[in-house]
Amino acid sequence: MGSLDQDAPPAAPASPSFLSDRSAKVFVAGHRGLVGSAVVRKLQSLGFTNLLLRTHSELDLTRQSAVEAFFAAETPKYVILSAAKVGGIHANSTYPADFISVNLMIQTNVIDASRRSGVEKLLFLGSSCIYPKFAPQPITEDSLLTAPLEPTNEWYAIAKISGIKMCQAYRIQHGLDAVSAMPTNLYGPCDNFHPENSHVLPALMRRFHEAKVRGAESVVVWGSGSPLREFLHVDDLADAVVFLMENYSGLSHVNVGSGKEVTIKELAEMVKEAVGFEGGIVWDPTKPDGTPRKLMDGSKLAGMGWAPRVELKEGLAETYKWYLDNVVKQ
């Protein structure tokens, strides 16, 4: 994998400047999710006037004929593929067939229809779970396919790896300007705060909020609090998506991270402060910690001139406000 850029045929010619084409049709697949909604907010703030947005009920991306008919009728110029079936460890282990088949179908249908309908540029969004379970830290792009995956989410990971490879194959064979971005752990507005199926940050936020409402003396958090994790505000990812659409046209996928680590203990204290919970935190060391460290190497993207802007403390306060306004009030 490390020699991919050097050995591969030349990349497809770069598309006309994305940011100079704000009246062009842009299809944001998955616009209601955490990532897609942030991309839509970013594009609207930049003055893009022709966004193509479809709910699942309006367009089922797992149905090839429906996707091909949509592309034939709408002829988008740009595609940002953030639609995916996502979930935590429990969901992945319970529905492995769904996680591999739904994601493979979405990716295959959208990428192939993009090529057939003459899309000028496509950006595919993946996840840091594509990397080996014991990848050297920080994780570089060329760690891909060098060792076994984390078994608990390999179905999703293999689908996302296939998406990267499909973008590369369509670039090599068909000249489709398809690029891939792999974000680290994300958080922000429109996150999933489900009590059982959410990731660590929104789960902590919900737990501290509910404890505050009940007047509880403490909150129990699993593990020792020692694992290190990296978090990126989803608005920073949306900014990186636009940056890559404008500036990148290469074969290799690109990591998108904050480059900053916090321990789970530090994260819990920061979420507690953002929520305003005044009780204590009780750590349960009988519960598993998970991977000791997981950090993306973002030097490739940083070398192009991009950097994140949202500090974690600021992002947590904003996310909690969104949670109060959109989850608690419903």
Side-chain angles (χ1 to χ4, degrees), residues 203-262:
L204 283 172
M205 189 165 284
R206 180 175 185 134
R207 208 174 305 165
F208 280 119
H209 171 78
E210 291 178 348
K212 182 175 101 171
V213 171
R214 290 195 315 269
E217 291 184 2
S218 63
V219 168
V220 176
V221 183
W222 280 19
S224 67
S226 64
L228 288 160
R229 292 293 182 269
E230 174 188 25
F231 294 94
L232 182 73
H233 194 284
V234 73
D235 287 351
D236 275 335
L237 174 60
D239 186 65
V241 164
V242 171
F243 182 90
L244 289 167
M245 288 292 287
E246 177 74 8
N247 296 293
Y248 183 67
S249 183
L251 194 64
S252 173
H253 63 285
V254 180
N255 287 345
V256 186
S258 66
K260 296 180 180 179
E261 295 175 288
V262 293

Side-chain angles (χ1 to χ4, degrees), residues 15-330:
S15 302
S17 170
F18 178 65
L19 287 173
S20 67
D21 209 6
R22 300 185 196 202
S23 62
K25 289 184 177 180
V26 183
F27 176 40
V28 181
H31 74 283
R32 283 185 165 179
L34 173 65
V35 174
S37 60
V39 170
V40 168
R41 288 195 302 273
K42 181 67 178 178
L43 294 176
Q44 288 174 337
S45 75
L46 291 170
F48 281 80
T49 57
N50 214 343
L51 302 184
L52 300 176
L53 310 174
R54 297 291 186 276
T55 63
H56 176 74
S57 61
E58 292 169 334
L59 175 61
D60 184 347
L61 295 174
T62 68
R63 295 290 170 256
Q64 183 180 21
S65 58
V67 174
E68 289 183 347
F70 167 78
F71 273 80
E74 295 292 349
T75 60
K77 189 171 183 179
Y78 303 105
V79 174
I80 296 168
L81 178 46
S82 62
K85 181 173 181 62
V86 298
I89 292 172
H90 176 72
N92 269 267
S93 59
T94 308
Y95 307 107
D98 290 354
F99 277 89
I100 193 164
S101 65
V102 170
N103 285 303
L104 284 173
M105 285 188 282
I106 289 171
Q107 295 159 194
T108 302
N109 292 340
V110 172
I111 295 169
D112 190 65
S114 295
R115 195 272 298 184
R116 292 177 183 276
S117 68
V119 164
E120 290 201 8
K121 187 162 192 169
L122 176 145
L123 185 142
F124 169 69
L125 281 150
S127 160
S128 60
C129 75
I130 62 166
Y131 291 114
K133 180 175 183 176
F134 297 113
Q137 305 287 321
I139 306 171
T140 59
E141 284 87 354
D142 59 10
S143 295
L144 186 67
L145 296 176
T146 56
L149 299 164
E150 163 58 57
T152 56
N153 61 12
E154 66 179 342
W155 322 105
Y156 177 76
I158 285 173
K160 286 297 180 180
I161 292 168
S162 298
I164 294 171
K165 291 299 175 185
M166 193 167 180
C167 287
Q168 292 172 348
Y170 272 61
R171 175 179 290 275
I172 292 166
Q173 183 175 336
H174 299 298
L176 176 65
D177 190 4
V179 300
S180 300
M182 301 297 120
T184 188
N185 301 308
L186 300 168
Y187 73 100
C190 299
D191 207 341
N192 172 20
F193 290 87
H194 191 278
E196 294 170 11
N197 298 331
S198 57
H199 292 122
V200 60
L201 194 154
L204 283 172
M205 189 165 284
R206 180 175 185 134
R207 208 174 305 165
F208 280 119
H209 171 78
E210 291 178 348
K212 182 175 101 171
V213 171
R214 290 195 315 269
E217 291 184 2
S218 63
V219 168
V220 176
V221 183
W222 280 19
S224 67
S226 64
L228 288 160
R229 292 293 182 269
E230 174 188 25
F231 294 94
L232 182 73
H233 194 284
V234 73
D235 287 351
D236 275 335
L237 174 60
D239 186 65
V241 164
V242 171
F243 182 90
L244 289 167
M245 288 292 287
E246 177 74 8
N247 296 293
Y248 183 67
S249 183
L251 194 64
S252 173
H253 63 285
V254 180
N255 287 345
V256 186
S258 66
K260 296 180 180 179
E261 295 175 288
V262 293
T263 64
I264 295 298
K265 188 172 185 178
E266 289 168 332
L267 177 69
E269 292 288 352
M270 292 174 77
V271 174
K272 173 187 166 182
E273 182 181 345
V275 169
F277 175 64
E278 296 180 354
I281 299 175
V282 177
W283 294 93
D284 182 358
T286 66
K287 296 296 193 294
D289 267 339
T291 307
R293 187 185 187 207
K294 190 176 181 185
L295 175 67
M296 304 272 272
D297 185 326
S299 57
K300 182 185 181 88
L301 184 54
M304 298 180 215
W306 183 83
R309 300 173 187 172
V310 182
E311 293 293 335
L312 184 55
K313 185 174 182 179
E314 168 196 347
L316 288 174
E318 179 197 285
T319 302
Y320 183 56
K321 183 180 186 305
W322 185 91
Y323 171 76
L324 291 175
D325 292 343
N326 295 275
V327 179
V328 176
K329 288 184 178 178
Q330 289 183 353

